[in-house]
Amino acid sequence: MKIILLEDVKSVGKKGDLVELKEGYARNFIIPKKLGVEATGQNLNTLKLQNQNKEKIAKEQLEAAKALAEELEKMTVKLEIKGGEGGKTFGSVSSKEIAKGVLDQYGKEIDKKKIQLSEAIKTEGTHEVTVKLHPKVAAKLKVHVTAI
């Protein structure tokens, strides 16, 4: 019996998969617990439309991430931090401060978790920071740190 899964079922398949199951298992377990529905023509058509919608949304998110990446490449965020002699700073610049700086200076909101610091920024000068916007899109953001 062909079933379209509505939820992830361990050792059977993931949500949205079309799977072949034994009739007893499907009728007595999967369908009553609303883990899946029988693969009728109408249900298959609904699944096809849902998959097309997911693809469209994923494509739009990728395009938006690419556009934001292009903007970030052109930006230089200026941050101030307390400092001492020789370009050393007290403390370091965190991803939270960088995200706040981008929002304040350019009006673009970036999740601080997407900012990847290879090591803490503890010196004055311009540093490049990687921002992972999408699994396929990453941008380099310049952060200019000055000591006050």
Side-chain angles (χ1 to χ4, degrees):
M1 173 177 230
K2 290 193 184 274
I3 298 289
I4 299 170
L5 295 177
L6 300 175
E7 300 289 330
D8 290 353
V9 180
K10 193 172 185 177
S11 74
V12 174
K14 297 198 177 282
K15 179 180 178 180
D17 286 353
L18 179 65
V19 295
E20 181 75 35
L21 298 174
K22 293 188 178 183
E23 194 167 336
Y25 182 63
R27 293 210 186 278
N28 295 322
F29 183 76
I30 299 292
I31 295 173
K33 292 197 177 212
K34 303 211 184 319
L35 299 174
V37 292
E38 192 172 349
T40 61
Q42 182 180 1
N43 290 340
L44 287 170
N45 193 30
T46 303
L47 176 67
K48 181 179 164 188
L49 291 174
Q50 287 174 346
N51 287 341
Q52 287 175 345
N53 191 30
K54 284 180 189 176
E55 289 174 14
K56 180 182 172 189
I57 290 171
K59 186 176 179 183
E60 289 172 357
Q61 288 175 340
L62 179 63
E63 294 300 320
K66 285 181 181 178
L68 183 58
E70 286 181 24
E71 291 179 37
L72 288 177
E73 295 279 346
K74 299 173 187 171
M75 292 182 189
T76 301
V77 179
K78 294 174 176 66
L79 298 174
E80 293 179 343
I81 190 168
K82 288 185 181 180
E85 295 177 19
K88 287 285 188 181
T89 59
F90 299 124
S92 62
V93 177
S94 67
S95 58
K96 181 179 178 183
E97 292 167 325
I98 296 170
K100 187 178 184 312
V102 171
L103 182 62
D104 292 345
Q105 295 170 28
Y106 296 100
K108 300 288 180 188
E109 193 166 333
I110 299 174
D111 186 8
K112 67 180 182 180
K113 295 174 188 158
K114 295 183 181 210
I115 298 172
Q116 298 176 331
L117 295 172
S118 57
E119 57 184 48
I121 299 173
K122 295 183 178 185
T123 58
E124 284 186 89
T126 303
H127 304 273
E128 277 199 353
V129 175
T130 304
V131 182
K132 189 90 166 150
L133 299 169
H134 188 274
K136 297 179 183 176
V137 180
K140 296 281 186 189
L141 175 66
K142 291 182 187 87
V143 179
H144 184 75
V145 180
T146 55
I148 54 172

